[in-house]
Amino acid sequence: MREQKHTARITGKNARNLNPLITETETGRRMDFAWWWLHLGGRPAKFSAFNSRSDALMSKWRAPFQHRAIAPATWYVEKGTSFALDGEAFGIAAITTTAEQHDDGGDLLTYSLVTRDAVAEAARVHPRMPLILPRELHDDWLDPDREGDAELIAEMVAASDELSDAIHPAPTRKASEPASDEATLF
């Protein structure tokens, strides 16, 4: 987090800018660095794939929806407005894929943040917002044995209502200002 000045950047189709992401493995939770642009067929998607609509997870994103992660955050930006939860950390739902890296032979984790219909103050800025998961449901979202299905989506969106209502605009940090723990994206 310190190396990235407490920010995450969309990687895009060509850049290689990796951000922290929490995943569940057979041996427990781990923090990995991941490419914030979902790869399909081992390559960056040719269309915008940094966000995935919750209402499209069962159709457009069915395979990646079976591999879920959480992006830790304390704020996010939408249309130039920063939103926060009174400085509290929160988890944003993400879906993942892996892509083989020919340069070193390893796999690269890629992800897309899941979005939902915006509510409360966030809806005044943009019709979508990140799907913020309550801590008590992190285990359910990350459970690799739980199928990603319509029931899981409905449960997570309904459970996110209270946190989503509590998100409010926060002061925006200028790029030239040093990052602080009070204004971290990751």
Side-chain angles (χ1 to χ4, degrees), residues 62-123:
R62 187 158 184 74
F65 181 33
Q66 304 312 310
H67 307 279
R68 298 173 298 274
I70 295 174
T74 57
W75 58 272
Y76 74 91
V77 176
E78 193 64 69
K79 298 290 183 191
T81 301
S82 294
F83 289 92
L85 193 59
D86 295 323
E88 294 293 319
F90 53 89
I92 299 173
I95 57 174
T96 69
T97 62
T98 55
E100 183 180 338
Q101 296 300 285
H102 300 289
D103 56 349
D104 65 7
D107 286 339
L108 174 67
L109 185 64
T110 74
Y111 72 103
S112 178
L113 295 179
V114 178
T115 65
R116 59 162 291 163
D117 288 333
V119 296
E121 293 185 67

Side-chain angles (χ1 to χ4, degrees), residues 18-65:
L18 305 179
N19 300 305
L21 197 66
I22 299 167
T23 59
E24 185 77 35
T25 68
E26 292 176 6
T27 59
R29 291 214 177 124
R30 59 182 279 161
M31 178 81 74
D32 289 301
F33 286 98
W35 183 312
W36 187 2
W37 190 283
L38 204 65
H39 285 46
L40 301 173
R43 298 188 178 281
K46 293 183 180 184
F47 51 88
S48 178
F50 61 93
N51 286 338
S52 304
R53 294 175 59 105
S54 60
D55 55 358
L57 291 176
M58 292 298 297
S59 56
K60 187 175 181 182
W61 306 107
R62 187 158 184 74
F65 181 33

Side-chain angles (χ1 to χ4, degrees), residues 1-9 17-22 31-33 70-75 87-90 173 177-186:
M1 290 171 54
R2 286 186 185 104
E3 287 174 17
Q4 294 181 316
K5 298 183 175 145
H6 296 277
T7 62
R9 289 178 173 62
N17 179 36
L18 305 179
N19 300 305
L21 197 66
I22 299 167
M31 178 81 74
D32 289 301
F33 286 98
I70 295 174
T74 57
W75 58 272
E88 294 293 319
F90 53 89
R173 180 180 60 84
E177 294 177 7
S180 71
D181 287 339
E182 291 77 40
T184 42
L185 176 53
F186 282 135

